[in-house]
Amino acid sequence: SEEEEAEHERIKQLLKKKLGPEYLSQRQGGGGTKLTYIEGWRVINLANEIFGFNGWYTEIKTLEIDFIDQNPETGRFNIGCTAIVRVWLKHGGSHEDVGYGKLENSKSKADALDKCKKEAVTDALKRTLRNFGSVLGNCLYDKHYTAEVSKMKAPKVSRPASS
Protein backbone atom coordinates (compact mmCIF):
# COMPACT_ATOMS: atom_id res chain seq x y z
CA SER A 1 0.00 0.00 0.00
CA GLU A 2 1.00 3.65 -0.38
CA GLU A 3 1.01 4.05 3.39
CA GLU A 4 3.43 1.15 3.88
CA GLU A 5 5.73 2.49 1.14
CA ALA A 6 5.79 5.93 2.80
CA GLU A 7 6.59 4.32 6.18
CA HIS A 8 9.36 2.23 4.60
CA GLU A 9 10.88 5.36 2.99
CA ARG A 10 10.65 7.31 6.28
CA ILE A 11 12.50 4.53 8.12
CA LYS A 12 15.10 4.23 5.34
CA GLN A 13 15.86 7.97 5.49
CA LEU A 14 16.13 7.96 9.30
CA LEU A 15 18.49 4.97 9.28
CA LYS A 16 20.87 6.81 6.91
CA LYS A 17 21.43 9.65 9.40
CA LYS A 18 24.44 9.77 11.70
CA LEU A 19 24.30 10.15 15.45
CA GLY A 20 24.82 13.60 16.90
CA PRO A 21 27.16 14.17 19.86
CA GLU A 22 24.20 14.32 22.28
CA TYR A 23 23.70 10.55 21.76
CA LEU A 24 27.30 9.55 22.37
CA SER A 25 29.48 8.68 25.35
CA GLN A 26 33.20 8.03 25.63
CA ARG A 27 35.29 5.72 27.75
CA GLN A 28 38.92 4.69 28.02
CA GLY A 29 39.88 1.89 25.64
CA GLY A 30 42.96 -0.28 25.36
CA GLY A 31 46.32 1.34 24.70
CA GLY A 32 45.22 4.74 25.98
CA THR A 33 42.61 5.24 23.25
CA LYS A 34 39.18 6.77 23.76
CA LEU A 35 36.20 4.75 22.58
CA THR A 36 33.05 6.49 21.39
CA TYR A 37 29.86 4.50 21.94
CA ILE A 38 26.10 4.76 22.38
CA GLU A 39 24.58 3.53 25.63
CA GLY A 40 22.09 0.67 25.47
CA TRP A 41 19.08 2.68 26.70
CA ARG A 42 19.72 5.37 24.07
CA VAL A 43 19.84 2.93 21.16
CA ILE A 44 16.65 1.24 22.42
CA ASN A 45 14.93 4.65 22.54
CA LEU A 46 16.11 5.39 18.99
CA ALA A 47 14.87 2.01 17.73
CA ASN A 48 11.48 2.73 19.35
CA GLU A 49 11.36 6.16 17.68
CA ILE A 50 12.30 4.78 14.25
CA PHE A 51 10.44 1.45 14.16
CA GLY A 52 7.71 2.16 16.74
CA PHE A 53 7.56 0.56 20.18
CA ASN A 54 5.76 -2.46 18.69
CA GLY A 55 7.61 -2.41 15.36
CA TRP A 56 10.62 -4.45 16.42
CA TYR A 57 11.28 -7.49 18.57
CA THR A 58 14.33 -9.06 20.17
CA GLU A 59 15.17 -12.70 20.67
CA ILE A 60 18.10 -14.02 22.69
CA LYS A 61 19.32 -16.86 20.48
CA THR A 62 22.06 -18.00 22.86
CA LEU A 63 23.48 -16.92 26.21
CA GLU A 64 26.51 -18.95 27.25
CA ILE A 65 28.92 -18.72 30.15
CA ASP A 66 32.41 -18.88 28.66
CA PHE A 67 34.29 -19.16 31.93
CA ILE A 68 33.92 -18.88 35.69
CA ASP A 69 37.27 -18.73 37.43
CA GLN A 70 37.70 -18.33 41.17
CA ASN A 71 40.97 -17.07 42.57
CA PRO A 72 41.97 -19.64 45.24
CA GLU A 73 43.72 -17.00 47.35
CA THR A 74 41.08 -14.24 47.35
CA GLY A 75 37.93 -16.26 46.59
CA ARG A 76 36.99 -13.63 43.99
CA PHE A 77 35.44 -14.46 40.61
CA ASN A 78 36.33 -13.69 37.00
CA ILE A 79 33.45 -14.43 34.63
CA GLY A 80 32.81 -14.03 30.91
CA CYS A 81 29.78 -14.80 28.79
CA THR A 82 28.61 -14.52 25.17
CA ALA A 83 25.14 -13.71 23.83
CA ILE A 84 23.69 -13.84 20.35
CA VAL A 85 20.65 -11.60 19.85
CA ARG A 86 18.34 -11.35 16.84
CA VAL A 87 16.25 -8.26 16.13
CA TRP A 88 13.14 -8.72 13.98
CA LEU A 89 11.19 -5.92 12.37
CA LYS A 90 7.42 -6.26 12.13
CA HIS A 91 7.68 -6.08 8.33
CA GLY A 92 9.99 -9.08 8.21
CA GLY A 93 13.62 -7.88 8.19
CA SER A 94 16.04 -9.19 10.79
CA HIS A 95 19.69 -9.16 11.85
CA GLU A 96 21.65 -10.93 14.55
CA ASP A 97 25.04 -10.39 16.14
CA VAL A 98 27.18 -11.43 19.08
CA GLY A 99 27.96 -9.56 22.30
CA TYR A 100 30.25 -10.15 25.24
CA GLY A 101 30.14 -9.44 28.96
CA LYS A 102 32.86 -9.88 31.57
CA LEU A 103 33.58 -9.03 35.16
CA GLU A 104 36.84 -9.49 37.00
CA ASN A 105 37.64 -9.65 40.69
CA SER A 106 34.03 -9.90 41.90
CA LYS A 107 33.24 -10.87 45.49
CA SER A 108 29.89 -12.35 44.48
CA LYS A 109 29.50 -15.08 41.86
CA ALA A 110 25.75 -14.32 41.51
CA ASP A 111 26.29 -10.57 41.05
CA ALA A 112 29.03 -11.24 38.51
CA LEU A 113 26.83 -13.62 36.52
CA ASP A 114 23.96 -11.13 36.61
CA LYS A 115 26.12 -8.27 35.34
CA CYS A 116 27.87 -10.39 32.69
CA LYS A 117 24.64 -11.73 31.21
CA LYS A 118 23.07 -8.27 31.00
CA GLU A 119 26.23 -6.78 29.53
CA ALA A 120 26.48 -9.54 26.90
CA VAL A 121 22.83 -9.17 25.86
CA THR A 122 23.04 -5.36 25.73
CA ASP A 123 26.27 -5.54 23.72
CA ALA A 124 24.71 -8.04 21.29
CA LEU A 125 21.56 -5.89 20.98
CA LYS A 126 23.62 -2.77 20.19
CA ARG A 127 25.76 -4.67 17.67
CA THR A 128 22.64 -6.13 16.05
CA LEU A 129 20.80 -2.81 15.80
CA ARG A 130 23.81 -1.17 14.12
CA ASN A 131 23.29 -3.54 11.17
CA PHE A 132 20.08 -1.66 10.34
CA GLY A 133 21.86 1.65 9.72
CA SER A 134 24.11 4.55 10.68
CA VAL A 135 21.73 6.18 13.15
CA LEU A 136 21.55 2.98 15.21
CA GLY A 137 25.30 2.95 15.76
CA ASN A 138 26.92 1.81 12.53
CA CYS A 139 28.37 5.31 12.03
CA LEU A 140 30.54 4.67 15.10
CA TYR A 141 32.62 2.21 13.06
CA ASP A 142 33.74 5.11 10.81
CA LYS A 143 36.92 6.42 12.48
CA HIS A 144 36.80 9.73 10.55
CA TYR A 145 33.25 10.34 11.79
CA THR A 146 34.05 9.50 15.43
CA ALA A 147 37.12 11.77 15.34
CA GLU A 148 34.97 14.68 14.08
CA VAL A 149 31.92 14.10 16.28
CA SER A 150 34.06 13.80 19.43
CA LYS A 151 35.21 17.42 18.83
CA MET A 152 31.60 18.68 18.72
CA LYS A 153 29.80 20.01 21.78
CA ALA A 154 26.55 18.25 22.57
CA PRO A 155 23.62 20.68 22.58
CA LYS A 156 22.24 21.56 26.03
CA VAL A 157 18.91 19.97 26.80
CA SER A 158 16.55 22.49 28.32
CA ARG A 159 14.36 21.23 31.12
CA PRO A 160 10.78 22.36 31.49
CA ALA A 161 10.21 24.79 34.35
CA SER A 162 8.65 23.13 37.37
CA SER A 163 5.54 24.69 38.81
Side-chain angles (χ1 to χ4, degrees):
S1 80
E2 226 175 274
E3 216 173 84
E4 284 175 344
E5 283 181 38
E7 177 68 0
H8 179 77
E9 188 59 30
R10 180 192 71 80
I11 290 171
K12 190 168 112 180
Q13 292 308 314
L14 287 172
L15 290 172
K16 285 181 182 180
K17 293 182 175 192
K18 292 186 177 180
L19 292 164
E22 67 274 21
Y23 290 97
L24 304 177
S25 299
Q26 288 193 320
R27 66 177 171 83
Q28 209 55 44
T33 60
K34 273 196 175 178
L35 299 177
T36 302
Y37 67 100
I38 183 169
E39 292 179 75
W41 68 271
R42 286 189 192 274
V43 78
I44 290 168
N45 284 351
L46 276 171
N48 283 335
E49 287 176 29
I50 293 166
F51 303 124
F53 75 94
N54 64 347
W56 65 289
Y57 313 91
T58 60
E59 174 187 5
I60 299 171
K61 302 285 288 181
T62 63
L63 182 57
E64 295 179 3
I65 306 304
D66 295 324
F67 65 88
I68 301 176
D69 296 333
Q70 187 175 22
N71 182 317
E73 293 167 17
T74 64
R76 291 181 176 248
F77 295 92
N78 297 326
I79 297 178
C81 67
T82 302
I84 297 175
V85 169
R86 175 173 283 170
V87 172
W88 297 87
L89 301 183
K90 76 176 176 187
H91 298 301
S94 72
H95 287 289
E96 66 182 53
D97 211 328
V98 65
Y100 197 74
K102 67 178 179 0
L103 187 64
E104 296 176 337
N105 205 29
S106 174
K107 288 181 186 177
S108 165
K109 184 178 182 180
D111 289 347
L113 282 166
D114 178 56
K115 182 202 171 286
C116 287
K117 288 177 181 181
K118 290 175 183 174
E119 186 177 300
V121 170
T122 300
D123 187 45
L125 175 61
K126 288 168 41 175
R127 291 181 50 80
T128 301
L129 284 169
R130 81 176 178 89
N131 287 293
F132 288 101
S134 282
V135 81
L136 291 175
N138 204 40
C139 61
L140 299 176
Y141 288 78
D142 176 349
K143 298 303 173 210
H144 298 294
Y145 168 73
T146 54
E148 289 305 311
V149 78
S150 65
K151 296 174 191 171
M152 297 178 196
K153 290 252 189 259
K156 296 270 190 231
V157 178
S158 60
R159 295 177 186 244
S162 52
S163 45

